[in-house]
Amino acid sequence: MNRIYEESALLAPAKESPIRDFMDRAAAMKQQYDDVISFSAGEPDFDTPQPIKDATIRALQENKTHYASAYGVRELRDAVAERIRRKTGCSYNSENEILVTTGAAEALNNTILSLFGAGDEVIVLTPAFITYENLIKMSGAKFVEVPLRKEEHYQINMEDIKRAVTDKTKGIVINNPGNPTGVVFEKDRLEELCRFIREKNMLVISDEIYADIVYDGKKACSIAEFPDMKERLILISGFSKTYAMTGWRIGYIAADERFVQAIIKFHTYCSTCSPTFLQYGIADALELPETQKEAERMVQQFEKRRNLVVQKLAETGKLGFCVPDGAFYILVDVSETGMNGKEFSEQLLEKYHVAVVPADSMGQGCHTVIRIAYTCSYERLEEGLTRINTFVSGA
């Protein structure tokens, strides 16, 4: 092979994303068939709240289109800091402890590649979003997997975590609520985890992008709520999921200034700054009552969809799952069909034109598991689940 086409050593340990693979397959199939239903992408099908769109259009018309500070527009940083203070009681200095990024994906990328390297070990609770593993390996650090147990409803098991820690462990990555499990971690388990993190002098990356999408009156506790955690926490979130803004690509990091000083070096050379007029629009409209009302309506619809998914999957008698507490995903064990997750996903797409994602790359023991994202309309969701039930009944 001509060496000019070879990828760099940085990318060598990274895997291809099965999520993108099945999204692309579904998109290609849609060119031939108009009945394809995709449960593969974690992308809400709602529209961005109108107040945010209106405020962004105003910012564009007011020519707020020039470079912003690498930290982000001050108004948005102020809004994020106040939002976190109100929800968690933890105060961040918006001048140097809030960093606006091009989506939560860039926040994860910059954080992991800035803070970890050769000789470090990083614990990830799995099943997990595949990005964590890939970025940790790209950084040169060792990815250490601690599987969550289905029989424990994917809750934190401290004994498993303690066994995984060595003198090289620098940090742990958690996602609450979880993708792909939909778990919301119990407060007492998070409290125990925080005590252990302080004792072992570890840092924690807490991906809280789904924190506002919870069901049954539950609450997803932030790591920022627990005492003495700010100095060892990198909180990552954004607006993509809660406000149906996946294409806007605006996320943020909240962290102690000492972490941000390192991360912003990477950010500066990665994206310079996120689009300025988008930041102004979000800052102006984020906390408006009309915006919050639309966001709450979305969560209500997701909960209604969650209930439908649980009902329809239970009807098959062959599919195993835990009821999700939040986010908009459910993991489904298909082993009783006699297929593994990849075989099930491929045959379901080919025969019934329904796209799901095999979860084998998301954690140990997931080779017979698929992920369903219930992010399409209630009617499309019902139709797709009916097709899954028909497929399973014949398996």
Side-chain angles (χ1 to χ4, degrees):
M1 178 180 178
N2 189 327
R3 65 185 300 271
I4 66 171
Y5 300 111
E6 293 177 0
E7 64 183 29
S8 75
L10 178 74
L11 290 175
K15 304 175 184 175
E16 296 290 339
S17 169
I19 301 173
R20 287 288 167 189
D21 179 30
F22 275 83
M23 283 174 59
D24 292 344
R25 291 193 198 189
M29 185 171 279
K30 283 181 181 179
Q31 301 298 314
Q32 295 179 280
Y33 307 99
D34 59 8
D35 66 339
V36 176
I37 297 175
S38 181
F39 297 156
S40 54
E43 179 173 25
D45 63 319
F46 302 103
D47 295 326
T48 301
Q50 192 62 42
I52 295 178
K53 292 189 286 188
D54 291 341
T56 302
I57 291 168
R58 286 197 303 274
L60 187 59
Q61 291 173 333
E62 292 169 3
N63 297 310
K64 294 179 177 177
T65 56
H66 302 285
Y67 283 131
S69 161
Y71 285 92
V73 167
R74 185 57 182 267
E75 289 86 342
L76 182 55
R77 287 184 279 146
D78 287 345
V80 167
E82 173 57 24
R83 184 181 179 86
I84 295 171
R85 186 203 62 77
R86 188 176 66 251
K87 288 177 174 289
T88 71
C90 185
S91 296
Y92 286 91
N93 185 337
S94 59
E95 181 177 351
N96 54 23
E97 294 185 324
I98 302 292
L99 174 59
V100 179
T101 58
T102 307
E106 192 211 346
L108 285 166
N109 179 84
N110 296 356
T111 296
I112 291 172
L113 295 181
S114 299
L115 298 178
F116 300 124
D120 296 330
E121 295 182 0
V122 187
I123 291 172
V124 176
L125 306 181
T126 63
F129 187 38
I130 191 173
T131 292
Y132 307 145
E133 177 182 353
N134 283 328
L135 288 175
I136 289 165
K137 289 180 176 179
M138 287 166 63
S139 77
K142 180 181 178 182
F143 167 74
V144 179
E145 183 174 358
V146 174
L148 302 172
R149 306 179 189 199
K150 179 186 172 186
E151 60 269 25
E152 296 178 355
H153 200 82
Y154 299 115
Q155 288 292 333
I156 293 169
N157 184 307
M158 282 307 306
E159 294 308 310
D160 290 343
I161 292 174
K162 289 175 181 178
R163 281 192 291 270
V165 171
T166 73
D167 58 2
K168 294 182 179 180
T169 304
K170 185 175 182 180
I172 183 170
V173 180
I174 71 167
N175 180 206
N176 185 33
N179 170 15
T181 61
V183 67
V184 171
F185 292 133
E186 296 168 356
K187 185 175 182 178
D188 60 344
R189 298 192 188 224
L190 285 172
E191 190 170 30
E192 187 179 1
L193 174 64
C194 288
R195 283 198 299 269
F196 183 71
I197 288 170
R198 292 193 298 267
E199 175 189 330
K200 293 297 183 180
N201 191 33
M202 296 159 53
L203 67 85
V204 55
I205 298 173
S206 185
D207 181 352
E208 301 181 9
I209 191 71
Y210 301 101
D212 293 317
I213 305 175
V214 291
Y215 313 127
D216 305 320
K218 294 186 178 182
K219 177 191 173 186
C221 293
S222 171
I223 294 294
E225 296 180 37
F226 297 93
D228 302 319
M229 288 304 296
K230 179 184 172 184
E231 65 185 27
R232 58 190 73 254
L233 166 65
I234 300 94
L235 190 161
I236 290 174
S237 192
F239 311 101
S240 293
K241 311 298 185 176
T242 304
Y243 299 98
M245 298 174 67
T246 51
W248 292 59
R249 311 312 304 136
I250 303 291
Y252 59 83
I253 294 168
D256 184 282
E257 179 186 3
R258 290 167 290 184
F259 288 130
V260 175
Q261 285 176 347
I263 297 168
I264 199 168
K265 292 179 185 178
F266 204 111
H267 172 70
T268 300
Y269 293 113
C270 179
S271 62
T272 305
C273 67
S274 298
T276 308
F277 64 96
L278 300 182
Q279 295 187 57
Y280 277 113
I282 296 169
D284 287 348
L286 185 64
E287 298 300 336
L288 291 177
E290 299 88 344
T291 302
Q292 294 306 311
K293 185 176 180 180
E294 288 197 42
E296 290 166 6
R297 181 182 63 83
M298 291 183 215
V299 175
Q300 291 167 0
Q301 291 300 310
F302 280 133
E303 184 167 1
K304 183 180 177 183
R305 294 175 187 180
R306 187 278 309 261
N307 294 341
L308 175 65
V309 170
V310 169
Q311 173 197 330
K312 296 290 283 186
L313 293 179
E315 289 174 1
T316 68
K318 286 186 177 181
L319 300 177
F321 58 87
C322 291
V323 177
D325 305 309
F328 34 65
Y329 308 102
I330 186 168
L331 278 185
V332 182
D333 188 334
V334 302
S335 57
E336 286 195 31
T337 67
M339 291 176 275
N340 62 36
K342 187 174 182 182
E343 292 167 342
F344 186 97
S345 301
E346 289 177 339
Q347 291 189 36
L348 179 65
L349 181 60
E350 182 65 29
K351 296 177 179 178
Y352 289 88
H353 299 173
V354 177
V356 296
V357 176
D360 54 335
S361 64
M362 298 179 185
Q364 293 179 23
C366 289
H367 65 285
T368 62
V369 177
I370 62 167
R371 188 194 77 172
I372 292 174
Y374 42 96
T375 49
C376 60
S377 71
Y378 190 91
E379 293 72 24
R380 296 288 283 170
L381 182 63
E382 188 169 32
E383 170 61 23
L385 290 165
T386 298
R387 293 187 202 176
I388 290 176
N389 287 9
T390 302
F391 174 51
V392 170
S393 68

